[in-house]
Amino acid sequence: MPLLSLLQFALPALLVIASIVSLIKSLSSQQRYERVIQSSEPAVLKTVDWEHFEQLVGEFFNRDGYHVKPTPAGPDGGIDLRIERDGRLYLVQCKQWKYRKVPVSVVRELFGVVIAEGAAGGFIVTSGELTHDAHIFAKGKPIHIINGETFHRFVRQREKAAVRFPPSPNTRPTTQVCPKCEGPMVKRVAGRGPNRGESFWGCKRFPKCNGTRP
């Protein structure tokens, strides 16, 4: 009886403690997110450790309307987050690598898990960059690559405009990502040449970057 009485009081107390710990983690994640928003330099992402970077990515998707699901214990194929929106499941790998570029093997691994689980797609979010081969392999596949500079820009823009990424398959995208630098693009009209008078997407960073899309 004494043991049962002790458990009767101990269990609710443990649940309260667990809730408090969860709340503290959530608040810490939000504070780190706000610090990233306030920083004008993408390098701020490299000042956090891998665990906190994963929390930042989760907060990013949470604020963008995704339901962030905890990754179950055990082998996960390198998956850090499972996120859902509009009934679609996406798998996320977070790479807080300060010096090394994310290799093509990481993209291959994620693509394999996406196919195996029947997910709608996958995201690789890194604080740095990916290799050229990694970008080439991801082309034409439901794998969305977000490097450090792009992630930082997305985080800051999310607070100003509801930009969905990836866009809904039922709507025509109102923004484009530059195929060269992955920066934002704007609508322009050709002023000369054979396509004079026709509209096209041009990199917002022109003339520093001359990426275009039809």
Side-chain angles (χ1 to χ4, degrees):
M1 288 296 292
L3 180 58
L4 291 176
S5 299
L6 180 62
L7 290 175
Q8 182 180 1
F9 292 102
L11 187 57
L14 290 174
L15 292 175
V16 170
I17 292 173
S19 297
I20 293 174
V21 170
S22 177
L23 177 60
I24 292 174
K25 286 185 176 180
S26 177
L27 291 174
S28 297
S29 176
Q30 292 177 25
Q31 289 172 352
R32 279 189 290 271
Y33 196 89
E34 294 300 327
R35 189 168 70 246
V36 172
I37 291 173
Q38 294 168 9
S39 174
S40 60
E41 295 296 330
V44 67
L45 298 173
K46 297 186 178 182
T47 64
V48 300
D49 59 31
W50 66 268
E51 184 177 8
H52 292 157
F53 181 71
E54 183 177 315
Q55 292 173 4
L56 283 174
V57 175
E59 181 70 14
F60 163 75
F61 283 113
N62 181 61
R63 295 191 183 199
D64 195 40
Y66 287 86
H67 172 57
V68 181
K69 302 171 65 178
T71 300
D76 58 9
I79 304 304
D80 296 308
L81 299 170
R82 283 175 165 77
I83 59 177
E84 289 184 349
R85 189 170 66 186
D86 300 330
R88 295 180 176 85
L89 171 67
Y90 297 87
L91 308 180
V92 183
Q93 282 195 13
C94 308
K95 299 298 181 185
Q96 205 285 341
W97 290 5
K98 297 182 180 180
Y99 306 108
R100 180 185 170 201
K101 288 186 176 182
V102 179
V104 65
S105 58
V106 171
V107 187
R108 287 199 186 102
E109 180 182 37
L110 177 60
F111 181 60
V113 180
V114 165
I115 297 301
E117 294 199 13
F123 292 86
I124 293 179
V125 186
T126 176
S127 59
E129 295 286 346
L130 287 88
T131 64
H132 177 71
D133 288 344
H135 282 282
I136 293 299
F137 182 83
K139 282 187 176 180
K141 299 178 178 66
I143 303 297
H144 308 283
I145 291 175
I146 309 179
N147 63 18
E149 183 179 347
T150 302
F151 180 59
H152 182 254
R153 185 173 63 251
F154 280 172
V155 166
R156 302 194 78 196
Q157 290 181 346
R158 283 292 184 271
E159 305 308 305
K160 300 176 183 178
V163 183
R164 292 167 67 88
F165 186 91
S168 168
N170 299 320
T171 60
R172 185 176 180 85
T174 57
T175 61
Q176 291 281 356
V177 176
C178 178
K180 288 191 174 182
C181 70
E182 297 185 340
M185 305 188 81
V186 295
K187 272 288 188 179
R188 292 198 172 97
V189 176
R192 57 185 179 181
N195 298 320
R196 183 177 180 178
E198 295 184 9
S199 62
F200 67 99
W201 289 97
C203 184
K204 195 172 183 179
R205 300 174 66 186
F206 180 85
K208 185 176 181 181
C209 175
N210 61 356
T212 62
R213 289 184 185 276

